[in-house]
Amino acid sequence: MDPNLSAKIDSKINTILQLPVISGYHLVLGGGKIGKKFTEHARKQSLPFVLVIDSDCDAPASKNAEVLREWKQLKDIISSFTASTGRAIDPEPSHKTEGSEPVIYFYCMDAKEVPSLLLYGMPEYIVPAIPSHAAVDMVVDFLSFDQDQGSVCELSVNEGGNTAAFFESMASAFPENIVAGVFPEHGAIFFSYARPGEICPDNCMGPEGYCYTFKRVKPRTITSYVREYSMQHTGWVFESCQMGPGIGGIRGADLKANLISVMERVRELRERSPGPGIEERSFFIATTCNCHGILNVLHLVDE
């Protein structure tokens, strides 16, 4: 492996290791319908600090927040909030601070710039509200290096070959009743206990064991199934926690730990000679909850 690339990976790992996870800080990726809905939830629950970002400067959530115009202004606000709350989060943080007035900001920026934003501190929760797999986006963006040093990208399965067989074997490893869709062209598998045409109500808390909406037994959670599969093939699971009706969030502590682990794995793979098949050069990223999930296969593109 190029020693410069190894040094870059090590530098990123060390930077992430030192990032604080900021108690009370909620970062919302997307200011559309879901992002705006979360700002309303934040006011009701008195969440202390919410930052919404969107590439559309006139996104609906911007009407329900204080709009920041300058990057320095945003950086100073995050730094000030971190200093006022301390750097460590509680083992079981509360989502509500009694008597506090929520502070909600909006900043116009592309989600691809999230890595530079996170360098000022990891939010307690990241709330994906964009039409893509946010965990995959963040992993790929953090792993972006010079083009001539290789990259990590989504697996695109074309007709036939070892790649198709590998992806088919991965999809078939899960029970049919939880596989809601298989999309080889994106290396993606969707999971759900809901069947085609069924829409889960926003106020459903997704209880384990049994679906009271559709009267259905759920032997295990989707998260449990995918975590078990990660023991067969390298992968990382980002568990989505229910933040409010129809809104999930990823713990910043989980994002931090997973990013470090993924980078260590990529460094290890880069140090080896290329393997004979796609399986040795791939891993998956999944976001799951009790009832639903999405898994994307990523692979290393050699220099």
Side-chain angles (χ1 to χ4, degrees), residues 8 49 70 72 119 136 179 194 258:
K8 287 180 180 179
F49 177 39
E70 302 293 335
K72 184 180 183 304
L119 294 180
V136 167
V179 177
N258 283 350

Side-chain angles (χ1 to χ4, degrees), residues 137-182:
D137 294 343
M138 287 187 285
V139 167
V140 171
D141 290 339
F142 263 100
L143 285 168
S144 63
F145 298 100
D146 295 338
Q147 199 167 18
D148 60 351
Q149 293 178 320
S151 62
V152 173
C153 64
E154 291 184 6
L155 183 71
S156 179
V157 181
N158 298 317
E159 297 179 7
N162 293 334
T163 302
F166 160 65
F167 184 73
E168 288 170 8
S169 69
M170 178 176 282
S172 64
F174 297 96
E176 289 185 8
N177 68 309
I178 69 166
V179 177
V182 178

Side-chain angles (χ1 to χ4, degrees), residues 9-253:
I9 295 175
D10 286 342
S11 177
K12 282 195 176 185
I13 290 173
N14 290 333
T15 297
I16 295 170
L17 273 169
Q18 296 173 39
L19 291 178
V21 178
I22 305 169
S23 178
Y25 172 21
H26 295 71
L27 174 61
V28 185
L29 308 181
K33 181 179 178 181
I34 296 176
K36 184 175 184 294
K37 185 177 180 181
F38 187 82
T39 62
E40 295 165 353
H41 167 75
R43 291 195 186 282
K44 290 178 183 178
Q45 296 298 310
S46 297
L47 299 183
F49 177 39
V50 176
L51 171 62
V52 184
I53 66 166
D54 197 294
S55 58
D56 178 3
C57 296
D58 295 316
S62 67
K63 309 299 188 292
N64 200 26
E66 180 179 339
V67 178
L68 303 176
R69 305 291 181 187
E70 302 293 335
W71 180 262
K72 184 180 183 304
Q73 191 181 16
L74 173 59
K75 180 186 73 172
D76 290 346
I77 285 171
I78 295 174
S79 298
S80 175
F81 183 78
T82 304
S84 68
T85 60
R87 291 176 173 259
I89 64 170
D90 298 328
E92 295 183 5
S94 169
H95 301 316
K96 185 172 181 179
T97 305
E98 295 294 340
S100 63
E101 182 67 25
V103 179
I104 302 173
Y105 295 102
F106 176 89
Y107 187 74
C108 186
M109 65 180 286
D110 193 282
K112 284 190 172 295
E113 299 177 67
V114 165
S116 60
L117 178 61
L118 295 182
L119 294 180
Y120 298 107
M122 283 282 179
E124 184 177 350
Y125 284 94
I126 298 98
V127 181
I130 51 178
S132 65
H133 190 174
V136 167
D137 294 343
M138 287 187 285
V139 167
V140 171
D141 290 339
F142 263 100
L143 285 168
S144 63
F145 298 100
D146 295 338
Q147 199 167 18
D148 60 351
Q149 293 178 320
S151 62
V152 173
C153 64
E154 291 184 6
L155 183 71
S156 179
V157 181
N158 298 317
E159 297 179 7
N162 293 334
T163 302
F166 160 65
F167 184 73
E168 288 170 8
S169 69
M170 178 176 282
S172 64
F174 297 96
E176 289 185 8
N177 68 309
I178 69 166
V179 177
V182 178
F183 301 90
E185 66 274 19
H186 299 295
I189 305 170
F190 285 81
F191 305 103
S192 182
Y193 271 113
R195 292 171 182 163
E198 294 178 342
I199 300 176
C200 300
D202 282 348
N203 62 353
C204 178
M205 296 303 292
E208 296 183 31
Y210 189 78
C211 172
Y212 292 93
T213 300
F214 301 116
K215 309 296 187 291
R216 187 169 301 142
V217 174
K218 299 184 295 182
R220 295 170 60 186
T221 66
I222 300 296
T223 299
S224 173
Y225 278 119
V226 181
R227 284 198 193 281
E228 182 180 66
Y229 184 70
S230 70
M231 292 185 279
Q232 300 177 44
H233 185 73
T234 304
W236 287 265
V237 180
F238 294 76
E239 185 171 7
S240 178
C241 307
Q242 189 157 20
M243 308 299 296
I247 304 171
I250 297 169
R251 294 183 182 89

